[in-house]
Amino acid sequence: MKIAPSILSADFSELGAEIDRVTQAGADWIHVDVMDGNFVPNLTLGMPVIKSLKPKCKIPMDVHLMIEKPERYIEEFIAAGADYLTLHIESTSVLEKSLLRIRELGCKSGITLRPKTSIELIKPFLHLVDLVLVMTVEPGFGGQSFMSEQLDKVRVLNSWRQQKLGNFLIEIDGGVNSQTAPTCVEAGADVLVAGNAVFKGEKTEQNYKLNMSQLR
Ligand code: DX5
Ligand code: ZN
């Protein structure tokens, strides 16, 4: 099981150092939440911040786009340093083309959906993705509580994967903590995003290591 700390819960005044601490503490990926104040009611960061963090980041950057018409910025996010680029199915009318473009540019492609969106809508795109992200909170904010009924989607994805409908990792995002993490893994998740559960408490490598060991 991989852990992808979400820097949404990190100290934004020292993002480079925060990435360094979680990396030293054993994080597998860095999860970057991009919000445009339109697709979700919150604003975070964009390509320039990713670009400046990239040289400091020694592990894969997993970029979760919560923006309208993400196709406008695919090239720029990949040039800035995204290793995985994940799009919301609700945010674009040109999903297939966008996923193909992501792969064509040498980046791993991901697809995700809001809690209210049916997992069946993802099925036609499975062969085009390296990652399916299941949201276990409404996208927009860290620190919300885990929607356990969303794990049914993980079970369905896992069975589709066993039926060879695609070759993708399953990632879970939202409300992951030491109580909910075991249920995620049991359902079939490979990657757990965690914001608050990793960045809570003291800003030290040692504390982040402890927080992640509690997840594992
Ligand atoms: C929510 C974001 C999440 C969020 C998770 O829209 O996609 O990545 O940062 O934070 P926690 O783990 O605190 O729920
Ligand atoms: Zn996210």
Side-chain angles (χ1 to χ4, degrees):
M1 184 263 281
K2 291 187 198 304
I3 298 182
S6 163
I7 56 168
L8 190 57
S9 302
D11 182 343
F12 269 42
S13 73
E14 41 177 288
L15 278 181
E18 289 277 71
I19 288 177
D20 217 47
R21 290 178 197 121
V22 283
T23 303
Q24 294 303 324
D28 297 285
W29 295 356
I30 296 295
H31 185 81
V32 184
D33 289 304
V34 177
M35 306 185 190
D36 67 350
N38 197 9
F39 182 72
V40 289
N42 197 4
L43 281 163
T44 53
L45 52 85
M47 298 80 81
V49 176
I50 292 174
K51 190 177 174 192
S52 70
L53 291 173
K54 184 65 177 177
K56 300 183 193 298
C57 188
K58 308 294 177 217
I59 55 180
M61 277 186 141
D62 171 34
V63 178
H64 175 191
L65 295 185
M66 287 160 272
I67 65 178
E68 289 291 348
K69 297 194 174 65
E71 61 272 14
R72 292 174 294 167
Y73 299 111
I74 286 172
E75 280 79 5
E76 287 175 74
F77 275 109
I78 294 172
D83 295 290
Y84 281 81
L85 194 60
T86 297
L87 313 180
H88 268 268
I89 189 166
E90 307 88 354
S91 68
T92 174
S93 55
V94 287
L95 188 59
E96 175 164 358
K97 194 175 149 202
S98 303
L99 294 170
L100 285 167
R101 184 74 184 132
I102 293 172
R103 281 187 163 176
E104 198 177 87
L105 292 170
C107 183
K108 303 277 190 196
S109 59
I111 188 172
T112 184
L113 71 175
R114 293 182 185 277
K116 287 193 189 82
T117 304
S118 162
I119 192 68
E120 291 295 325
L121 297 178
I122 298 284
K123 208 173 178 183
F125 303 100
L126 288 178
H127 62 292
L128 299 172
V129 296
D130 302 292
L131 178 81
V132 180
L133 171 60
V134 174
M135 291 301 302
T136 42
V137 298
E138 198 55 55
F141 300 92
Q144 305 180 73
S145 28
F146 187 78
M147 302 166 84
S148 56
E149 77 283 355
Q150 297 298 317
L151 289 178
D152 285 342
K153 290 179 180 169
V154 177
R155 295 186 190 102
V156 169
L157 285 167
N158 206 20
S159 77
W160 285 344
R161 183 159 71 168
Q162 278 156 9
Q163 294 162 36
K164 307 257 185 294
L165 295 187
N167 182 17
F168 49 85
L169 293 171
I170 303 174
E171 183 178 45
I172 294 187
D173 186 5
V176 172
N177 57 36
S178 56
Q179 274 84 54
T180 57
T183 65
C184 298
V185 175
E186 238 166 54
D190 309 292
V191 188
L192 303 185
V193 175
N196 279 21
V198 170
F199 287 103
K200 67 181 180 190
E202 223 183 303
K203 284 185 283 180
T204 61
E205 178 191 326
Q206 208 176 17
N207 176 51
Y208 295 159
K209 199 170 188 166
L210 180 71
N211 290 346
M212 281 193 270
S213 73
Q214 281 162 357
L215 287 180
R216 291 191 202 276

